[in-house]
Amino acid sequence: MIVKNLYDDVIGTDADVDSKQWNSRRLLLAKDGMGFSLHDTLIKPNEDLHLWYKNHLEAVYCIEGQGEIYDKATGVTHPIREGTVYALNNHDQHILKANKGVGMRMVCVFNPPVTGRETHDADGSYNLPEPN
């Protein structure tokens, strides 16, 4: 059994990855052997995140704040608020943004799981880890 607390076991550790646009507190990682990773992510206000998880599938649940996600393939913008879930089931290229002045707090699940220190490449993706 794996039991962790965001405040006691993640924040301030190597699993707490901060960037200009987001802060990803990684609760479960590849090393935990679950087949997915689980993140508590803060999307910072006034940032446009151009993302493309070409190597991962991602599901995201908004638990705080408001914003939007723009689907680059369809040109459709979907509003996001508390209680909204979206799943990038086709490795969808997208732009995510929190409303001005207010960030968003998201619960994110990645498959395959991330190792923990990834940051986005120039195209908005994470690389896959090297096989052992």
Side-chain angles (χ1 to χ4, degrees):
M1 180 183 295
I2 301 167
V3 178
K4 295 182 184 180
N5 180 278
L6 174 68
Y7 304 101
D8 296 338
D9 303 313
V10 177
I11 292 176
T13 72
D14 283 346
D16 185 2
V17 181
D18 194 36
S19 80
K20 177 182 176 246
Q21 298 180 309
W22 49 265
N23 176 221
S24 179
R25 291 93 62 95
R26 293 160 180 192
L27 296 158
L28 295 173
L29 297 166
K31 68 181 179 183
D32 294 311
M34 295 296 296
F36 60 88
S37 56
L38 178 66
H39 312 216
D40 181 315
T41 301
L42 305 174
I43 307 300
K44 297 178 181 178
N46 305 317
E47 296 292 335
D48 291 349
L49 286 75
H50 293 254
L51 303 170
W52 177 29
Y53 295 118
K54 62 185 177 185
N55 299 311
H56 297 82
L57 297 176
E58 182 191 26
V60 178
Y61 181 64
C62 180
I63 59 173
E64 200 172 288
Q66 296 182 358
E68 62 187 34
I69 185 168
Y70 172 77
D71 184 334
K72 288 184 175 182
T74 65
V76 175
T77 299
H78 301 276
I80 297 173
R81 62 184 173 90
E82 290 178 23
T84 301
V85 66
Y86 65 86
L88 303 170
N89 59 326
N90 291 312
H91 305 281
D92 310 274
Q93 293 188 46
H94 60 286
I95 300 172
L96 180 65
K97 63 170 108 174
N99 285 353
K100 293 181 179 177
V102 179
M104 289 189 294
R105 185 173 179 194
M106 319 291 266
V107 175
C108 309
V109 177
F110 282 90
N111 181 17
V114 301
T115 61
R117 297 307 302 166
E118 291 88 348
T119 56
H120 296 103
D121 291 341
D123 64 8
S125 66
Y126 291 145
N127 282 327
L128 287 174
E130 295 293 323
N132 293 334

